[in-house]
Amino acid sequence: RKASSRSSNEEESKFRFEKEHMGKQYSSLYYQRLMVLLPGLKQSAREKFGTSVPLKRVIELGAAGTDNNKEDGKGGGEKKESSAMMMMDVDDEDTLLQEQENKENKAAAALGEEVVIIGTIYKEMAKKPIILDEYIKTKAGVTKKEQVEHGLMDLEENFVDEEKDFCILEDESARVKLQGPGVKVGELVTGVSAACKGRVNNNGDFVVDSVAFAKPSSSAKSTTKVTEEDESGEQTYVCLVSGLNFGASPLNDVRAIMLSEYIEGSLGDEEQAGGISQVLVCGELVSSKTREEERVQGEKGAKATTNGEGGTHADTKKKATSSSIQKADAFLAKVCEMVPVDLMPGSSDPTNSALPQQPIHSCFLPNAARFEGSTLKKVTNPHEFQITPSSDDASTSSSSRTFLGTSGQNVRDCLQITSSGVGIKGKTPEEKAKAVLDVMERFLEWGHMAPSAPDTLACYPFKDRDPFVITQVPDVFFAGCQSAFGSREIVVASQKSVLVSVPSFSETGSVVLLNLKTLKAEEVTFTAAGL
């Protein structure tokens, strides 16, 4: 079997926290995000807009711009309480645009003057989900939460209203409504940091001509160029699998056994399987179905009915969940005997639900835990690491590859609040994959892997940093637990990066093999009949 050396990026620790303090406010998170991205935003603005256009704060847009603070609801004056990032709590001595505090830029921008403003996007959505709506009963006396639990409402609901949605840009001084052809409202989400070039109109709105984002920088090394030798020699692969969802169905558990046999080399292409040097489990190890059923039955408590076998239905659901975890434990233990495994948690796994999710505790996986320190590594979600394929000939050895990705919650959330996800349920697998890859590409362009957190995606309220900022372009940017497989090669900051949509194994029966030399991804599908 091909071997490779792996190491977690030094930045991996940024996704870990020892103690939870959920009582903090999120304004600091938005502020830290903007502070980290500000140099990149200014550089992108200079490269795209030139140096002749002055940089202004929102409050310096003049009398026209101040109309946005009126409460009469006209123009940009709409200021909703639902904004998660009202005025940022910063000292006067630590203003957002210190270097522009000179006599030239202190003057207010004249009406119609072309300027650049930098800040954080807030997207006002007419259909934006509100947590209390889940508990408000309809005329039929049923809550939205109950409709979802009984399958009467689809979770893949999209909340975009192209006619009513609009964007606001906010810095530490004020906020202004954005208008014009340069603002692609359907693609943006709350939390994106941007530099906008345009001018103020008579209504006090900022008419945007163009927008620039803080793209991450290229890494110190250059990506290895693919040669004919890379294509024809021995290949080394990373196997990415997500959504194993043990306990979801008997067929799914059978396919998982086939997967372990494939990695072992006893099923399918033995040579290809022998090239697998690393397995990355990208979330949702255990089925959410059994865990949710156990929770619902547990809430009923004393009302739980007997199952006719001396126990209650709640006891039955607990046994089902326990059985699912045991199957997952056995699977991981078997795979760890053959190849190193990185285990990421997902939305249905037993750990915290808010990003960044902490590693699954060893007590849930007693058999697999025996391999900790050797072939099993329990990691966070998101996860960042480097892997170097070994080679008998040092002169042809490929350089290390940097991986960065999540278990997919960030992508699924953005599909619900952007135009990419409109009507996605009825689309073909190819169209679904394209939508996922479009969102992932925008993440790299924005320099942030979870911009919608904490507005519509739960995350930890970091006070002094934003760990989700992408500072360097990864060689591989992946998202697990998606509805279809897809890959795309893009160039960001003059560096090639490969986007990979990792399909949910329980839904598709598929895993992804990524060639470490060529960075080409291929789908391997398991069916009842075999590979």
Side-chain angles (χ1 to χ4, degrees), residues 320-334:
T321 301
S322 177
S323 175
S324 300
I325 294 177
Q326 289 174 4
K327 292 176 182 177
D329 185 24
F331 170 84
L332 288 174
K334 182 176 180 180

Side-chain angles (χ1 to χ4, degrees), residues 374-387:
S374 56
T375 55
L376 176 63
K377 191 166 188 179
K378 298 187 285 80
V379 299
T380 60
N381 171 36
H383 181 36
E384 185 174 15
F385 67 100
Q386 289 183 347
I387 184 168

Side-chain angles (χ1 to χ4, degrees), residues 130-146:
I130 302 174
I131 188 64
L132 294 178
D133 288 347
E134 295 184 10
Y135 303 94
I136 298 176
K137 292 186 176 181
T138 63
K139 293 182 179 180
V142 182
T143 66
K144 180 182 292 187
K145 184 178 180 181
E146 291 171 335

Side-chain angles (χ1 to χ4, degrees), residues 481-506:
C481 306
Q482 301 305 311
S483 55
F485 161 74
S487 67
R488 178 185 299 171
E489 181 180 306
I490 64 173
V491 176
V492 181
S494 302
Q495 180 177 325
K496 181 176 74 174
S497 183
V498 176
L499 313 178
V500 181
S501 171
V502 185
S504 172
F505 186 79
S506 61

Side-chain angles (χ1 to χ4, degrees), residues 248-269:
S249 68
L251 174 61
N252 183 60
D253 295 343
V254 170
R255 289 192 299 197
I257 295 174
M258 295 170 62
L259 172 59
S260 65
E261 293 177 347
Y262 168 73
I263 296 173
E264 185 181 34
S266 58
L267 177 67
D269 189 336

